[in-house]
Amino acid sequence: MESVFNWIAINQQIIYIVILMVFVGIEVIGRVPSVLHTPLMSGANAIHGVVIIGAIIVMGKAESDNYVALTLGFLAVVLGTLNVVGGFVVTDRMLEMFKNKKAQK
Amino acid sequence: MLEINILTLIYLIASVTFIIGLKMLSHPATARKGNLVAAFGMGLAIVGTIFLYRDDDGNKLHNYGWIFGGLFIGGIVGTLAAKKVKMTAMPEMVSLFNGMGGACAALISMIEFGHFAKMGYLDKIVQSYEAGEVVQDAVLTRPVPIETLLTIFAGLVIGTVSFAGSMIAWGKLNGKIKDFSFKGQHIFNLVVLTAVLALSAYLIVVVATVEPRPDPNIDDVIPKDLGSMPLLLFYATFGLAMVYGIMFVMPIGGADMPVVISLLNSFTGVAAACGGFLYNNNVMLTGGILVGAAGTLLTILMCKAMNRSLKNVLIGSFGGGNKPSAGDGGNKPQGTYKEITLSDAAVLMSYAHKVMIVPGYGLAVAQAQHACHELEKLLESKGVEVKYAIHPVAGRMPGHMNVLLAEADVSYDKLEEMEQANEEFPTTDVVLILGANDVVNPAAKNDPSSPIYGMPILEVELAKNVIVNKRSMKPGYAGIENDLFFQPKTSMLFGDAKKVLQDLIGEIKNL
C-alpha cells in the first residue's frame, strides 16, 4: 500500500496533467455543434499524431548497428508523419468548404 | 541545458496550441484557423524535438538521415493522399490515418522492449554519490521499472488494436471487406482479449522481477538470463492484439462504423499518451490524453444517439447474435411497395409548399451532393421551401452529411438537426429520402424486437408524402427491413441518387 502512495507522490505532476487534460478534452468537445463533428474528429485524429515525437526520439536514439530498431523506427516515423500531415490536410480540406460557404453568406 | 529549456517551452506552447486548436475547431467561424493553430504547434514540436532533444545523459539525437527521410516520405504521401481523396471517402481516410498513428505507437513500444531485451531486461541508471570530496558517478542496474513496462505494453496493445481495427474499418467503408461473423464470436473476442491481458501481465511480472546476478565487477552485472522467451511472448502479445483488433471490428455493421472510428481515434490518443509516459514527454501526454478524453466522450454521445451501449459495440455482438432475429422480426409486416415515376415525383415536388430532403449514405456513394443542391435551388426558384433534415448518424460519420452538403455550397441554415426537423415534418408536403434507411426506420419506435429499437429517428412518416430514392429494396446497413417503404404514403424511386436527381431536375425544368 505504501508503495502505491509513494508512486503517487513521485508521479503527482503527471497524474495532475492526465486528470486536468481529461476534463479539458471533455469540455472542448462538449460544446461542438454536430455540423463540425467530422472535422473535429479529423482534427483530433491529427493531434494524436504527436506520437511522431516518440518515433523521432526512438529513431534518433537507435544505435546505428541495430538494424531492427532502425527499420522499425523509420517505419514509425513514416507512419507518424502520415498521421500528422494527412490528418491536418484532410481537416483543412473539410473546413475549407465551410469557409467558402460562410463567405458567400 | 539551454536547449532543453527551450524545448520545454516549445512543448508547453505546442500543448496550448492543441487545446486552443480543439476549442477553435468547435466553432464554425474559427474552425479552420483552429486546425492551423494546432498544426503550427505540431510542426514546432517536431522541429524542436529533432534539433533540441537531449536524453538523460545530454546526448543529441542521431540518425538524422533516417529521420528526415521518414518525415519526407510520410509528408509527401500524406499530403497527396489527403489532397486526392474524394469528399465522400473522407471517413475512410480519417480511419486510415488513425490506423497509421496506432501503428506508430505500437512500433515505438516494440523498439523500446527490444532495447530492454538486448540489455537483459535491466535498466542502467547513473547515480552520483560523494566519495570524500569528489562527486563520482556510478552505473547501477535494476530491473526495468514496472510502470515503464506497463506503458510499453499499453502502447503496444492499444496501438495495435487501433491499427488493426482502423484498417478493417477502412476496408469496410470502401467496400473491400464485408461483414463477417461466426457463432460465439464475442466469446472468442473476450478470450483473445483475456489472453492479451494475461500474457502482458505475466511478461510484466517476469521482467520486472528479474534479479541481476551479483557479480564481483560492479560495472558489469550479468543479468539472470531469461533467454528469448520474453521477446517471443512479446511478439505473441502483439499478434493476439492484432487478431483482437481485426475480430473486434469485423462483425460490426456499417451503422456502427462512426462509433467504431471515434472509439479507435480515442484509443490512438491513449496510445500516444503512453509514449508520453514512457519518455516523460509532456506534449505527447497532453495531446494524447486530450484526444483520448474528447474521443471517448464523442463515442459515448454517438452511442447514445443510436441507443447502443458502448459495451455492445466493444464486444461486437451486434452483427453476431442479433442479426438472425432481426431478419425475422423485419420480415413479418412485408407488404407491397409502390413506385413513383420521375414525372409524378417532379410534379409532386414542384407544387409542394415545403420539401424536406433526408440525405444518407446513398447520397455520398453517388456523389450526388451537387445535384442535390441544384434541385434545391430549382425548387426554391419555384417558391418551394426546401430544407435538409440531418440525422446525427446519417452517413458513415457524425457530420458526414454536413460536410458533403457544405462541399456543394448548401447554406448552413437550411440544415436542420433531428429535433427541429421532427417538429417540421407534420407541416411538410414531400419528404425526399436520398439513400438513407435506418435513420428513418419506424421500427426504432414501434418494434421492441428490432435491434435499432429506441434509436431516435427522423419521423418522416408525419409528412404528407414520402419519396424514397434507393438503389434497390435491399435492407440498409444495419440489415433490417424498413416498414416505411411499405406504407401507403411512401413511394419508391429506384436508381442511383445522382442520376435520379439529374433526371428529376430535367423533369421539373420541363414542367
mmCIF file of all heavy atoms in Angstrom, chain A residues 7 14 29 32-33 38 41 45 48 50 55 58-60 62 73-74 76 79 83 85 88 92-93 101, chain B residues 18 26 32 35 62-63 70 79 82-83 85 98 101 104 112 265 277 279 294 397-400 410:
data_model
loop_
_atom_site.group_PDB
_atom_site.id
_atom_site.type_symbol
_atom_site.label_atom_id
_atom_site.label_comp_id
_atom_site.label_asym_id
_atom_site.label_seq_id
_atom_site.Cartn_x
_atom_site.Cartn_y
_atom_site.Cartn_z
ATOM 1 N N TRP A 7 4.355 5.984 -5.087
ATOM 2 C CA TRP A 7 4.295 6.132 -6.547
ATOM 3 C C TRP A 7 3.470 7.367 -6.909
ATOM 4 O O TRP A 7 3.855 8.156 -7.772
ATOM 5 C CB TRP A 7 3.668 4.868 -7.156
ATOM 6 C CG TRP A 7 3.707 4.868 -8.629
ATOM 7 C CD1 TRP A 7 4.724 4.465 -9.426
ATOM 8 C CD2 TRP A 7 2.656 5.308 -9.498
ATOM 9 N NE1 TRP A 7 4.384 4.645 -10.741
ATOM 10 C CE2 TRP A 7 3.137 5.158 -10.820
ATOM 11 C CE3 TRP A 7 1.375 5.832 -9.301
ATOM 12 C CZ2 TRP A 7 2.364 5.496 -11.928
ATOM 13 C CZ3 TRP A 7 0.614 6.174 -10.395
ATOM 14 C CH2 TRP A 7 1.100 5.994 -11.700
ATOM 15 N N ILE A 14 2.430 14.217 -13.261
ATOM 16 C CA ILE A 14 1.843 13.535 -14.413
ATOM 17 C C ILE A 14 0.379 13.217 -14.152
ATOM 18 O O ILE A 14 -0.480 13.388 -15.018
ATOM 19 C CB ILE A 14 2.651 12.258 -14.749
ATOM 20 C CG1 ILE A 14 3.931 12.669 -15.470
ATOM 21 C CG2 ILE A 14 1.829 11.295 -15.569
ATOM 22 C CD1 ILE A 14 4.728 11.530 -15.996
ATOM 23 N N ILE A 29 -14.957 19.245 -26.335
ATOM 24 C CA ILE A 29 -15.849 18.508 -27.217
ATOM 25 C C ILE A 29 -17.306 18.805 -26.913
ATOM 26 O O ILE A 29 -18.142 18.862 -27.803
ATOM 27 C CB ILE A 29 -15.588 16.989 -27.068
ATOM 28 C CG1 ILE A 29 -14.525 16.565 -28.056
ATOM 29 C CG2 ILE A 29 -16.828 16.185 -27.257
ATOM 30 C CD1 ILE A 29 -15.046 15.934 -29.288
ATOM 31 N N VAL A 32 -19.380 21.309 -29.098
ATOM 32 C CA VAL A 32 -19.273 21.287 -30.556
ATOM 33 C C VAL A 32 -20.631 21.038 -31.196
ATOM 34 O O VAL A 32 -21.325 20.101 -30.819
ATOM 35 C CB VAL A 32 -18.299 20.179 -30.976
ATOM 36 C CG1 VAL A 32 -18.403 19.900 -32.445
ATOM 37 C CG2 VAL A 32 -16.898 20.587 -30.632
ATOM 38 N N PRO A 33 -21.047 21.892 -32.153
ATOM 39 C CA PRO A 33 -22.279 21.593 -32.877
ATOM 40 C C PRO A 33 -22.055 20.375 -33.782
ATOM 41 O O PRO A 33 -20.935 20.158 -34.247
ATOM 42 C CB PRO A 33 -22.508 22.846 -33.715
ATOM 43 C CG PRO A 33 -21.169 23.481 -33.838
ATOM 44 C CD PRO A 33 -20.393 23.116 -32.615
ATOM 45 N N THR A 38 -17.425 15.761 -37.855
ATOM 46 C CA THR A 38 -16.428 15.093 -38.691
ATOM 47 C C THR A 38 -15.108 15.854 -38.734
ATOM 48 O O THR A 38 -14.060 15.257 -38.494
ATOM 49 C CB THR A 38 -16.974 14.868 -40.104
ATOM 50 O OG1 THR A 38 -18.159 14.100 -40.007
ATOM 51 C CG2 THR A 38 -15.982 14.111 -40.949
ATOM 52 N N MET A 41 -13.381 15.355 -35.396
ATOM 53 C CA MET A 41 -12.798 14.033 -35.224
ATOM 54 C C MET A 41 -11.508 13.948 -36.017
ATOM 55 O O MET A 41 -10.499 13.415 -35.563
ATOM 56 C CB MET A 41 -13.789 12.972 -35.710
ATOM 57 C CG MET A 41 -13.386 11.577 -35.330
ATOM 58 S SD MET A 41 -14.328 10.382 -36.249
ATOM 59 C CE MET A 41 -15.719 10.196 -35.204
ATOM 60 N N ASN A 45 -7.809 13.502 -34.653
ATOM 61 C CA ASN A 45 -7.010 12.440 -35.240
ATOM 62 C C ASN A 45 -5.612 12.953 -35.576
ATOM 63 O O ASN A 45 -4.612 12.293 -35.313
ATOM 64 C CB ASN A 45 -7.745 11.932 -36.489
ATOM 65 C CG ASN A 45 -6.935 10.937 -37.275
ATOM 66 O OD1 ASN A 45 -6.427 9.981 -36.705
ATOM 67 N ND2 ASN A 45 -6.808 11.161 -38.558
ATOM 68 N N HIS A 48 -3.517 13.501 -32.265
ATOM 69 C CA HIS A 48 -2.859 12.363 -31.609
ATOM 70 C C HIS A 48 -1.675 11.874 -32.428
ATOM 71 O O HIS A 48 -0.942 10.982 -32.000
ATOM 72 C CB HIS A 48 -3.834 11.252 -31.210
ATOM 73 C CG HIS A 48 -4.433 10.464 -32.329
ATOM 74 N ND1 HIS A 48 -3.701 9.934 -33.358
ATOM 75 C CD2 HIS A 48 -5.699 10.096 -32.570
ATOM 76 C CE1 HIS A 48 -4.499 9.287 -34.167
ATOM 77 N NE2 HIS A 48 -5.720 9.377 -33.735
ATOM 78 N N VAL A 50 0.866 13.383 -32.360
ATOM 79 C CA VAL A 50 2.047 13.741 -31.558
ATOM 80 C C VAL A 50 2.898 12.535 -31.285
ATOM 81 O O VAL A 50 4.060 12.675 -30.902
ATOM 82 C CB VAL A 50 1.737 14.330 -30.158
ATOM 83 C CG1 VAL A 50 1.670 15.807 -30.195
ATOM 84 C CG2 VAL A 50 0.592 13.676 -29.502
ATOM 85 N N ALA A 55 8.330 8.682 -31.977
ATOM 86 C CA ALA A 55 9.000 7.972 -33.060
ATOM 87 C C ALA A 55 10.339 8.634 -33.379
ATOM 88 O O ALA A 55 11.351 7.954 -33.589
ATOM 89 C CB ALA A 55 8.114 7.950 -34.305
ATOM 90 N N VAL A 58 12.824 7.804 -30.591
ATOM 91 C CA VAL A 58 13.277 6.413 -30.628
ATOM 92 C C VAL A 58 14.222 6.205 -31.816
ATOM 93 O O VAL A 58 15.237 5.513 -31.733
ATOM 94 C CB VAL A 58 12.048 5.480 -30.669
ATOM 95 C CG1 VAL A 58 11.751 4.983 -32.031
ATOM 96 C CG2 VAL A 58 12.219 4.348 -29.701
ATOM 97 N N MET A 59 13.902 6.847 -32.920
ATOM 98 C CA MET A 59 14.735 6.753 -34.119
ATOM 99 C C MET A 59 16.095 7.393 -33.863
ATOM 100 O O MET A 59 17.143 6.848 -34.206
ATOM 101 C CB MET A 59 14.013 7.496 -35.257
ATOM 102 C CG MET A 59 14.739 7.583 -36.555
ATOM 103 S SD MET A 59 14.452 6.142 -37.546
ATOM 104 C CE MET A 59 16.044 5.376 -37.456
ATOM 105 N N GLY A 60 16.068 8.575 -33.241
ATOM 106 C CA GLY A 60 17.295 9.310 -33.019
ATOM 107 C C GLY A 60 18.201 8.671 -31.986
ATOM 108 O O GLY A 60 19.389 8.957 -31.920
ATOM 109 N N ALA A 62 18.402 5.262 -31.673
ATOM 110 C CA ALA A 62 18.755 3.903 -32.084
ATOM 111 C C ALA A 62 20.242 3.819 -32.422
ATOM 112 O O ALA A 62 20.782 4.701 -33.077
ATOM 113 C CB ALA A 62 17.909 3.487 -33.277
ATOM 114 N N GLY A 73 11.977 1.929 -36.424
ATOM 115 C CA GLY A 73 11.903 3.346 -36.110
ATOM 116 C C GLY A 73 11.581 4.173 -37.343
ATOM 117 O O GLY A 73 10.772 5.100 -37.295
ATOM 118 N N PHE A 74 12.233 3.800 -38.450
ATOM 119 C CA PHE A 74 11.982 4.516 -39.695
ATOM 120 C C PHE A 74 10.509 4.391 -40.089
ATOM 121 O O PHE A 74 9.841 5.366 -40.429
ATOM 122 C CB PHE A 74 12.881 3.949 -40.790
ATOM 123 C CG PHE A 74 12.724 4.616 -42.124
ATOM 124 C CD1 PHE A 74 13.132 5.925 -42.301
ATOM 125 C CD2 PHE A 74 12.163 3.945 -43.189
ATOM 126 C CE1 PHE A 74 12.985 6.552 -43.525
ATOM 127 C CE2 PHE A 74 12.013 4.556 -44.419
ATOM 128 C CZ PHE A 74 12.425 5.865 -44.582
ATOM 129 N N ALA A 76 8.095 3.799 -38.110
ATOM 130 C CA ALA A 76 7.293 4.563 -37.153
ATOM 131 C C ALA A 76 7.265 6.037 -37.543
ATOM 132 O O ALA A 76 6.213 6.684 -37.489
ATOM 133 C CB ALA A 76 7.847 4.390 -35.739
ATOM 134 N N LEU A 79 4.972 6.448 -40.636
ATOM 135 C CA LEU A 79 3.550 6.309 -40.311
ATOM 136 C C LEU A 79 3.066 7.482 -39.457
ATOM 137 O O LEU A 79 1.975 8.019 -39.672
ATOM 138 C CB LEU A 79 3.298 4.989 -39.571
ATOM 139 C CG LEU A 79 3.594 3.722 -40.372
ATOM 140 C CD1 LEU A 79 3.243 2.489 -39.560
ATOM 141 C CD2 LEU A 79 2.842 3.724 -41.681
ATOM 142 N N ASN A 83 0.148 10.262 -40.310
ATOM 143 C CA ASN A 83 -0.956 10.608 -39.412
ATOM 144 C C ASN A 83 -1.066 12.123 -39.233
ATOM 145 O O ASN A 83 -2.131 12.713 -39.385
ATOM 146 C CB ASN A 83 -0.740 9.897 -38.070
ATOM 147 C CG ASN A 83 -1.913 10.046 -37.120
ATOM 148 O OD1 ASN A 83 -1.877 9.550 -36.019
ATOM 149 N ND2 ASN A 83 -2.976 10.725 -37.535
ATOM 150 N N VAL A 85 0.518 14.810 -40.996
ATOM 151 C CA VAL A 85 0.340 15.615 -42.203
ATOM 152 C C VAL A 85 -1.008 15.323 -42.857
ATOM 153 O O VAL A 85 -1.807 16.232 -43.124
ATOM 154 C CB VAL A 85 1.485 15.351 -43.195
ATOM 155 C CG1 VAL A 85 1.264 16.129 -44.477
ATOM 156 C CG2 VAL A 85 2.811 15.738 -42.567
ATOM 157 N N PHE A 88 -3.971 16.732 -40.732
ATOM 158 C CA PHE A 88 -4.197 18.177 -40.791
ATOM 159 C C PHE A 88 -4.678 18.610 -42.177
ATOM 160 O O PHE A 88 -5.549 19.475 -42.290
ATOM 161 C CB PHE A 88 -2.928 18.942 -40.397
ATOM 162 C CG PHE A 88 -2.723 19.019 -38.913
ATOM 163 C CD1 PHE A 88 -1.585 18.507 -38.317
ATOM 164 C CD2 PHE A 88 -3.687 19.601 -38.096
ATOM 165 C CE1 PHE A 88 -1.398 18.561 -36.948
ATOM 166 C CE2 PHE A 88 -3.510 19.665 -36.725
ATOM 167 C CZ PHE A 88 -2.363 19.145 -36.149
ATOM 168 N N ASP A 92 -8.178 20.393 -43.001
ATOM 169 C CA ASP A 92 -8.210 21.698 -43.647
ATOM 170 C C ASP A 92 -9.116 21.667 -44.871
ATOM 171 O O ASP A 92 -9.881 22.594 -45.120
ATOM 172 C CB ASP A 92 -6.794 22.105 -44.044
ATOM 173 C CG ASP A 92 -6.736 23.550 -44.470
ATOM 174 O OD1 ASP A 92 -7.110 24.403 -43.656
ATOM 175 O OD2 ASP A 92 -6.353 23.818 -45.625
ATOM 176 N N ARG A 93 -9.026 20.566 -45.620
ATOM 177 C CA ARG A 93 -9.877 20.466 -46.813
ATOM 178 C C ARG A 93 -11.351 20.471 -46.446
ATOM 179 O O ARG A 93 -12.179 21.079 -47.119
ATOM 180 C CB ARG A 93 -9.546 19.173 -47.564
ATOM 181 C CG ARG A 93 -8.517 19.380 -48.636
ATOM 182 C CD ARG A 93 -8.457 18.181 -49.535
ATOM 183 N NE ARG A 93 -9.682 17.967 -50.292
ATOM 184 C CZ ARG A 93 -9.969 16.828 -50.906
ATOM 185 N NH1 ARG A 93 -9.156 15.816 -50.845
ATOM 186 N NH2 ARG A 93 -11.080 16.706 -51.590
ATOM 187 N N LYS A 101 -18.570 28.711 -47.830
ATOM 188 C CA LYS A 101 -19.983 28.947 -47.680
ATOM 189 C C LYS A 101 -20.242 30.156 -46.794
ATOM 190 O O LYS A 101 -21.117 30.955 -47.038
ATOM 191 C CB LYS A 101 -20.588 27.699 -47.065
ATOM 192 C CG LYS A 101 -22.051 27.623 -47.191
ATOM 193 C CD LYS A 101 -22.485 26.443 -46.391
ATOM 194 C CE LYS A 101 -21.959 26.587 -45.011
ATOM 195 N NZ LYS A 101 -21.555 25.464 -44.319
ATOM 196 N N PHE B 18 -2.642 22.891 -29.003
ATOM 197 C CA PHE B 18 -3.572 21.776 -29.207
ATOM 198 C C PHE B 18 -4.921 22.086 -28.562
ATOM 199 O O PHE B 18 -5.978 21.865 -29.151
ATOM 200 C CB PHE B 18 -3.023 20.471 -28.612
ATOM 201 C CG PHE B 18 -1.811 19.956 -29.319
ATOM 202 C CD1 PHE B 18 -0.980 19.024 -28.724
ATOM 203 C CD2 PHE B 18 -1.494 20.394 -30.605
ATOM 204 C CE1 PHE B 18 0.137 18.555 -29.375
ATOM 205 C CE2 PHE B 18 -0.381 19.923 -31.264
ATOM 206 C CZ PHE B 18 0.441 19.006 -30.642
ATOM 207 N N SER B 26 -14.214 23.868 -32.576
ATOM 208 C CA SER B 26 -15.607 23.613 -32.200
ATOM 209 C C SER B 26 -16.519 24.789 -32.512
ATOM 210 O O SER B 26 -17.684 24.779 -32.144
ATOM 211 C CB SER B 26 -15.692 23.218 -30.728
ATOM 212 O OG SER B 26 -15.085 24.199 -29.934
ATOM 213 N N ARG B 32 -11.310 26.602 -39.072
ATOM 214 C CA ARG B 32 -10.181 26.375 -39.961
ATOM 215 C C ARG B 32 -8.891 26.913 -39.350
ATOM 216 O O ARG B 32 -7.830 26.307 -39.428
ATOM 217 C CB ARG B 32 -10.453 27.046 -41.298
ATOM 218 C CG ARG B 32 -9.581 26.455 -42.367
ATOM 219 C CD ARG B 32 -9.904 26.989 -43.714
ATOM 220 N NE ARG B 32 -9.004 26.400 -44.675
ATOM 221 C CZ ARG B 32 -8.774 26.923 -45.856
ATOM 222 N NH1 ARG B 32 -9.401 28.019 -46.215
ATOM 223 N NH2 ARG B 32 -7.938 26.337 -46.683
ATOM 224 N N ASN B 35 -7.539 24.559 -36.748
ATOM 225 C CA ASN B 35 -6.772 23.452 -37.309
ATOM 226 C C ASN B 35 -5.349 23.903 -37.606
ATOM 227 O O ASN B 35 -4.383 23.197 -37.315
ATOM 228 C CB ASN B 35 -7.471 22.960 -38.586
ATOM 229 C CG ASN B 35 -6.813 21.747 -39.166
ATOM 230 O OD1 ASN B 35 -6.569 20.780 -38.465
ATOM 231 N ND2 ASN B 35 -6.499 21.810 -40.446
ATOM 232 N N HIS B 62 20.729 11.133 -33.043
ATOM 233 C CA HIS B 62 21.482 10.961 -34.287
ATOM 234 C C HIS B 62 20.557 10.321 -35.319
ATOM 235 O O HIS B 62 19.340 10.368 -35.174
ATOM 236 C CB HIS B 62 22.771 10.177 -34.069
ATOM 237 C CG HIS B 62 22.619 9.013 -33.154
ATOM 238 N ND1 HIS B 62 22.718 9.142 -31.794
ATOM 239 C CD2 HIS B 62 22.356 7.725 -33.410
ATOM 240 C CE1 HIS B 62 22.536 7.959 -31.239
ATOM 241 N NE2 HIS B 62 22.296 7.076 -32.187
ATOM 242 N N ASN B 63 21.137 9.719 -36.344
ATOM 243 C CA ASN B 63 20.338 9.136 -37.436
ATOM 244 C C ASN B 63 19.458 10.181 -38.121
ATOM 245 O O ASN B 63 18.337 9.907 -38.514
ATOM 246 C CB ASN B 63 19.433 8.001 -36.947
ATOM 247 C CG ASN B 63 20.211 6.882 -36.301
ATOM 248 O OD1 ASN B 63 21.303 6.557 -36.761
ATOM 249 N ND2 ASN B 63 19.683 6.328 -35.248
ATOM 250 N N GLY B 70 12.234 9.723 -43.307
ATOM 251 C CA GLY B 70 10.895 9.289 -42.896
ATOM 252 C C GLY B 70 9.896 10.430 -42.943
ATOM 253 O O GLY B 70 8.785 10.288 -43.452
ATOM 254 N N THR B 79 0.309 14.145 -47.745
ATOM 255 C CA THR B 79 -0.304 15.297 -48.406
ATOM 256 C C THR B 79 -1.047 14.871 -49.658
ATOM 257 O O THR B 79 -2.200 15.262 -49.882
ATOM 258 C CB THR B 79 0.779 16.322 -48.787
ATOM 259 O OG1 THR B 79 1.609 16.536 -47.655
ATOM 260 C CG2 THR B 79 0.165 17.636 -49.221
ATOM 261 N N ALA B 82 -4.199 12.952 -48.854
ATOM 262 C CA ALA B 82 -5.240 13.798 -48.275
ATOM 263 C C ALA B 82 -5.808 14.763 -49.309
ATOM 264 O O ALA B 82 -6.977 15.135 -49.243
ATOM 265 C CB ALA B 82 -4.677 14.574 -47.089
ATOM 266 N N LYS B 83 -4.975 15.178 -50.270
ATOM 267 C CA LYS B 83 -5.458 16.126 -51.273
ATOM 268 C C LYS B 83 -6.318 15.429 -52.317
ATOM 269 O O LYS B 83 -7.221 16.018 -52.888
ATOM 270 C CB LYS B 83 -4.271 16.791 -51.979
ATOM 271 C CG LYS B 83 -3.548 17.782 -51.116
ATOM 272 C CD LYS B 83 -3.878 19.212 -51.527
ATOM 273 C CE LYS B 83 -3.112 20.172 -50.648
ATOM 274 N NZ LYS B 83 -3.779 21.427 -50.432
ATOM 275 N N VAL B 85 -8.085 12.544 -52.053
ATOM 276 C CA VAL B 85 -9.249 11.762 -51.648
ATOM 277 C C VAL B 85 -10.536 12.546 -51.935
ATOM 278 O O VAL B 85 -10.595 13.761 -51.788
ATOM 279 C CB VAL B 85 -9.148 11.379 -50.161
ATOM 280 C CG1 VAL B 85 -9.199 12.603 -49.281
ATOM 281 C CG2 VAL B 85 -10.259 10.425 -49.792
ATOM 282 N N ASN B 98 -5.741 7.331 -38.816
ATOM 283 C CA ASN B 98 -5.810 6.925 -37.423
ATOM 284 C C ASN B 98 -5.042 5.615 -37.209
ATOM 285 O O ASN B 98 -4.284 5.478 -36.257
ATOM 286 C CB ASN B 98 -7.275 6.758 -37.025
ATOM 287 C CG ASN B 98 -7.435 6.339 -35.591
ATOM 288 O OD1 ASN B 98 -6.824 6.916 -34.709
ATOM 289 N ND2 ASN B 98 -8.235 5.330 -35.357
ATOM 290 N N GLY B 101 -1.340 6.200 -36.988
ATOM 291 C CA GLY B 101 -0.925 6.664 -35.666
ATOM 292 C C GLY B 101 -0.835 5.512 -34.682
ATOM 293 O O GLY B 101 0.118 5.413 -33.908
ATOM 294 N N CYS B 104 2.185 3.481 -35.341
ATOM 295 C CA CYS B 104 3.372 4.219 -34.892
ATOM 296 C C CYS B 104 3.596 3.979 -33.402
ATOM 297 O O CYS B 104 4.706 3.671 -32.970
ATOM 298 C CB CYS B 104 3.183 5.708 -35.203
ATOM 299 S SG CYS B 104 4.576 6.727 -34.778
ATOM 300 N N GLU B 112 11.278 -0.128 -27.967
ATOM 301 C CA GLU B 112 11.687 0.041 -26.581
ATOM 302 C C GLU B 112 11.833 -1.298 -25.876
ATOM 303 O O GLU B 112 12.767 -1.510 -25.120
ATOM 304 C CB GLU B 112 10.690 0.928 -25.831
ATOM 305 C CG GLU B 112 10.799 2.401 -26.177
ATOM 306 C CD GLU B 112 12.173 2.988 -25.843
ATOM 307 O OE1 GLU B 112 12.827 2.478 -24.915
ATOM 308 O OE2 GLU B 112 12.590 3.947 -26.514
ATOM 309 N N ASN B 265 -10.163 6.248 -32.620
ATOM 310 C CA ASN B 265 -9.474 7.533 -32.578
ATOM 311 C C ASN B 265 -9.029 7.837 -31.148
ATOM 312 O O ASN B 265 -7.887 8.218 -30.911
ATOM 313 C CB ASN B 265 -10.447 8.608 -33.093
ATOM 314 C CG ASN B 265 -9.759 9.896 -33.393
ATOM 315 O OD1 ASN B 265 -8.604 9.902 -33.817
ATOM 316 N ND2 ASN B 265 -10.441 11.001 -33.178
ATOM 317 N N PHE B 277 4.179 8.999 -21.289
ATOM 318 C CA PHE B 277 4.645 8.456 -20.009
ATOM 319 C C PHE B 277 6.053 7.909 -20.154
ATOM 320 O O PHE B 277 6.931 8.130 -19.333
ATOM 321 C CB PHE B 277 3.745 7.307 -19.549
ATOM 322 C CG PHE B 277 2.409 7.739 -19.038
ATOM 323 C CD1 PHE B 277 1.250 7.313 -19.653
ATOM 324 C CD2 PHE B 277 2.319 8.553 -17.926
ATOM 325 C CE1 PHE B 277 0.011 7.691 -19.175
ATOM 326 C CE2 PHE B 277 1.084 8.938 -17.439
ATOM 327 C CZ PHE B 277 -0.067 8.512 -18.063
ATOM 328 N N TYR B 279 8.513 8.489 -22.236
ATOM 329 C CA TYR B 279 9.622 9.427 -22.408
ATOM 330 C C TYR B 279 9.493 10.627 -21.501
ATOM 331 O O TYR B 279 10.252 11.577 -21.648
ATOM 332 C CB TYR B 279 9.690 9.891 -23.860
ATOM 333 C CG TYR B 279 9.925 8.762 -24.813
ATOM 334 C CD1 TYR B 279 8.973 8.408 -25.749
ATOM 335 C CD2 TYR B 279 11.115 8.037 -24.743
ATOM 336 C CE1 TYR B 279 9.192 7.353 -26.603
ATOM 337 C CE2 TYR B 279 11.331 6.983 -25.601
ATOM 338 C CZ TYR B 279 10.365 6.644 -26.523
ATOM 339 O OH TYR B 279 10.582 5.597 -27.354
ATOM 340 N N ALA B 294 -11.536 13.454 -25.330
ATOM 341 C CA ALA B 294 -12.524 14.020 -26.245
ATOM 342 C C ALA B 294 -13.137 12.926 -27.108
ATOM 343 O O ALA B 294 -14.358 12.870 -27.291
ATOM 344 C CB ALA B 294 -11.857 15.078 -27.125
ATOM 345 N N MET B 397 -20.241 8.825 -40.658
ATOM 346 C CA MET B 397 -19.585 9.521 -39.561
ATOM 347 C C MET B 397 -20.531 10.611 -39.117
ATOM 348 O O MET B 397 -21.282 11.125 -39.937
ATOM 349 C CB MET B 397 -18.321 10.216 -40.051
ATOM 350 C CG MET B 397 -17.120 9.365 -40.086
ATOM 351 S SD MET B 397 -15.738 10.409 -40.486
ATOM 352 C CE MET B 397 -14.590 9.859 -39.303
ATOM 353 N N PRO B 398 -20.480 10.998 -37.852
ATOM 354 C CA PRO B 398 -21.321 12.129 -37.464
ATOM 355 C C PRO B 398 -20.881 13.360 -38.234
ATOM 356 O O PRO B 398 -19.691 13.631 -38.351
ATOM 357 C CB PRO B 398 -21.048 12.287 -35.970
ATOM 358 C CG PRO B 398 -19.812 11.527 -35.707
ATOM 359 C CD PRO B 398 -19.654 10.505 -36.756
ATOM 360 N N GLY B 399 -21.839 14.074 -38.780
ATOM 361 C CA GLY B 399 -21.480 15.268 -39.530
ATOM 362 C C GLY B 399 -21.075 14.997 -40.965
ATOM 363 O O GLY B 399 -20.787 15.905 -41.722
ATOM 364 N N HIS B 400 -21.084 13.720 -41.341
ATOM 365 C CA HIS B 400 -20.709 13.332 -42.706
ATOM 366 C C HIS B 400 -21.550 14.085 -43.737
ATOM 367 O O HIS B 400 -21.040 14.623 -44.704
ATOM 368 C CB HIS B 400 -20.917 11.822 -42.833
ATOM 369 C CG HIS B 400 -20.312 11.220 -44.067
ATOM 370 N ND1 HIS B 400 -20.428 9.895 -44.363
ATOM 371 C CD2 HIS B 400 -19.604 11.758 -45.068
ATOM 372 C CE1 HIS B 400 -19.810 9.657 -45.504
ATOM 373 N NE2 HIS B 400 -19.298 10.762 -45.952
ATOM 374 N N VAL B 410 -24.319 24.147 -49.980
ATOM 375 C CA VAL B 410 -25.645 24.265 -49.386
ATOM 376 C C VAL B 410 -25.537 25.160 -48.157
ATOM 377 O O VAL B 410 -24.618 25.024 -47.362
ATOM 378 C CB VAL B 410 -26.187 22.874 -48.978
ATOM 379 C CG1 VAL B 410 -27.473 23.018 -48.196
ATOM 380 C CG2 VAL B 410 -26.394 22.017 -50.201
#
